[in-house]
Amino acid sequence: MKGMLSGITILELGQVIAGTYGGMILADLGAEVIKIEPHWGDAARNPKITPVRGESAVHLQLNRGKRSMVIDLKCEAGREIFYGLVAESDVVIDNFRPGVMARLKIDHESLLRHNPRIITVSVTGFGDGGPAGNQPAFDLVVQALSGLLDLTGPADGPPARVGIPLADISGGIFACMAVLGALVGRELHGEGRHADISMLDSLVSMLSYDALHHLNTGVLNRRQGTEHAHIVPWQAFETKDGYMVVAARGEKFWQNLCDAIDRPDLKDDPRTRDNGARLEHREYVVTILAEAFARRTRNEWMDLASKHDLPVAPVNDLVDVFRYPQVRAREMVRRYRHPTVGDVSYLPSPFKLTDWELPGLPAPMLGEHTVEVLRNRLAYSDETIGRLVDSGVVGTGQDRNGAS
């Protein structure tokens, strides 16, 4: 069985999350992703960040299925090796600050001289250009600037960060999409392209219909906790043993909910008979439902959901998530064997492809594949490789006191 991208080679200069998440997906699709690292390794390798038996969870998750090669790109000899790899590769992904690739002489225009079909993708906080282009960008900063923090959290409380690094992850996802689009475009039109991906652009684009509504009406949505600006009921309620959410979009589900709480009168009550009325009388509706949800446990509510076709769900913590039968049935937890950590449980990409089993390969040790790539891809002799290692142009992860 071959992956959709078998035969595609990607050189990844990415660090931590934004520059590596897209490569992780592309590796799952069958691409060969060669991670080019400095002697000290990707910052994601820092074992003090989400430690797992001496390694970092960020590295173990986001760099799985890739190969690691250490090259000093600041020296001419290192760049010559990189140019040789570019000549027979398809894509280069980076998440350096704007201008760094040009200073290293490995920007898109420079690489075209070595491969006119090369595709390059740069993921940055704010994109190449604009007044914020060179400002430092971390996930929290981008979430704040995008408006996401202002829309997240309780109505009467402070703004809240989305619980995952969504700015970083969205940058990686859109980088992956850019690669896939550019690969198709190259086959159609014969040209490599450069994609400029901004984490801020990515999150702003995800504001979606709420942004369109604001831009065309002037209405300013504010944070409402789990409530919805336009649908009632659509929020979390406390039960006897935790929280549940209900998302009764459409009158069918509202009427089912009325039956489940033994309040068929609410189907015809002028304050609750349709969504417009419920929006106008939100407090009245929420009070009734809060009392109803508080009378039962989460399991009792799930039994009612099965009986009445209710769009309700428990608010799962991570223990609950990985016990949830649907997550288990969809094989959203898999394992690979790491040379130092041992068995690692990880999350695969969510797609299921006909006749393709996700690779399930471990995250590489630093420089694990340097010699192999030089020998097999570029036909370097062992003597030449030895000189390159001794001079520090390349590394194997064992020749310096870098991360491992």
Side-chain angles (χ1 to χ4, degrees):
M1 297 185 294
K2 291 188 176 181
M4 300 291 286
L5 297 182
S6 294
I8 297 296
T9 300
I10 295 169
L11 305 178
E12 182 186 274
L13 301 172
Q15 299 277 310
V16 194
I17 300 173
T20 62
Y21 198 96
M24 176 194 72
I25 299 172
L26 294 164
D28 277 350
L29 286 168
E32 181 180 17
V33 180
I34 302 175
K35 187 173 181 64
I36 308 298
E37 303 185 67
H39 282 283
W40 50 90
D42 178 354
R45 290 180 178 273
N46 184 345
K48 295 181 180 179
I49 302 173
T50 56
V52 176
R53 302 192 291 277
E55 295 282 357
S56 162
V58 180
H59 166 62
L60 292 174
Q61 172 67 23
L62 300 185
N63 290 325
R64 57 180 176 75
K66 302 174 185 177
R67 308 173 83 193
S68 173
M69 186 176 186
V70 171
I71 305 177
D72 181 0
L73 293 174
K74 293 184 178 180
C75 70
E76 187 62 35
R79 284 194 294 274
E80 287 301 321
I81 294 171
F82 186 71
Y83 294 150
L85 292 172
V86 167
E88 58 170 49
S89 297
D90 300 281
V91 182
V92 175
I93 301 175
D94 81 275
N95 69 322
F96 296 137
R97 279 196 185 186
V100 171
M101 293 288 280
R103 287 198 295 275
L104 290 173
K105 301 178 184 177
I106 54 174
D107 57 307
H108 185 71
E109 294 303 317
S110 298
L111 297 184
L112 285 176
R113 292 194 289 271
H114 303 276
N115 183 349
R117 288 169 55 83
I118 196 69
I119 293 163
T120 58
V121 180
S122 294
V123 186
T124 60
F126 303 109
D128 187 5
N134 276 299
Q135 292 181 14
F138 294 102
D139 182 84
L140 181 63
V141 172
V142 178
Q143 285 198 32
L145 288 169
S146 72
L148 198 60
L149 257 69
D150 187 62
L151 293 171
T152 307
D156 57 352
R161 180 182 73 88
V162 175
I164 60 173
L166 189 58
D168 288 323
I169 290 173
S170 66
I173 290 173
F174 282 106
C176 175
M177 294 169 66
V179 168
L180 296 175
L183 286 170
V184 173
R186 188 181 67 179
E187 295 308 305
L188 293 173
H189 311 299
E191 299 174 348
R193 299 292 180 92
H194 174 68
D196 170 12
I197 306 294
S198 155
M199 291 158 56
L200 179 61
D201 292 354
S202 298
L203 281 192
V204 169
S205 76
M206 293 171 71
L207 296 174
S208 189
Y209 64 87
D210 280 327
L212 185 146
H213 183 252
H214 165 69
L215 290 170
N216 290 278
T217 67
V219 174
L220 183 61
N221 283 351
R222 303 312 300 251
R223 55 185 172 273
Q224 298 176 277
T226 57
E227 293 184 7
H228 196 291
H230 309 295
I231 302 172
V232 176
W234 183 291
Q235 65 184 88
F237 291 100
E238 191 170 8
T239 71
K240 282 185 176 181
D241 60 350
Y243 282 88
M244 299 284 296
V245 298
V246 57
R249 190 180 79 174
E251 299 313 314
K252 168 192 170 181
F253 292 118
W254 168 247
Q255 292 179 17
N256 291 352
L257 182 60
C258 293
D259 290 334
I261 65 172
D262 297 320
R263 290 293 304 271
D265 57 296
L266 296 176
K267 298 178 185 180
D268 300 314
D269 189 318
R271 294 167 293 184
T272 58
R273 63 187 173 195
D274 59 37
N275 188 63
R278 294 192 296 274
L279 275 171
E280 186 177 348
H281 299 91
R282 183 191 293 268
E283 185 175 351
Y284 175 70
V285 177
V286 168
T287 299
I288 292 172
L289 293 179
E291 293 173 354
F293 273 88
R295 289 195 292 267
R296 293 183 170 93
T297 66
R298 299 199 306 174
N299 283 339
E300 289 171 335
W301 273 106
M302 292 309 294
D303 289 340
L304 283 172
S306 178
K307 180 180 178 181
H308 292 279
D309 189 25
L310 293 179
V312 301
V315 177
N316 286 340
D317 62 19
L318 291 185
V319 173
D320 297 325
V321 170
F322 298 117
R323 288 176 177 169
Y324 185 49
Q326 186 67 14
V327 172
R328 296 169 69 91
R330 297 288 291 174
E331 298 183 323
M332 282 307 298
V333 177
R334 301 194 179 199
R335 285 188 177 184
Y336 65 67
R337 184 80 179 172
H338 187 272
T340 63
V341 176
D343 286 339
V344 175
S345 296
Y346 73 97
L347 307 183
S349 294
F351 37 72
K352 310 292 189 281
L353 293 172
T354 304
D355 297 327
W356 172 242
E357 181 69 25
L358 297 179
L361 298 174
M365 303 297 288
L366 178 62
E368 179 180 347
H369 303 96
T370 300
V371 172
E372 177 187 334
V373 172
L374 289 174
R375 181 186 293 140
N376 297 340
R377 279 187 166 269
L378 301 181
Y380 281 30
S381 67
D382 288 345
E383 181 182 0
T384 299
I385 294 171
R387 287 199 302 268
L388 291 169
V389 171
D390 291 342
S391 63
V393 175
V394 301
T396 64
Q398 300 175 353
D399 49 289
R400 288 197 173 197
N401 295 321
S404 61

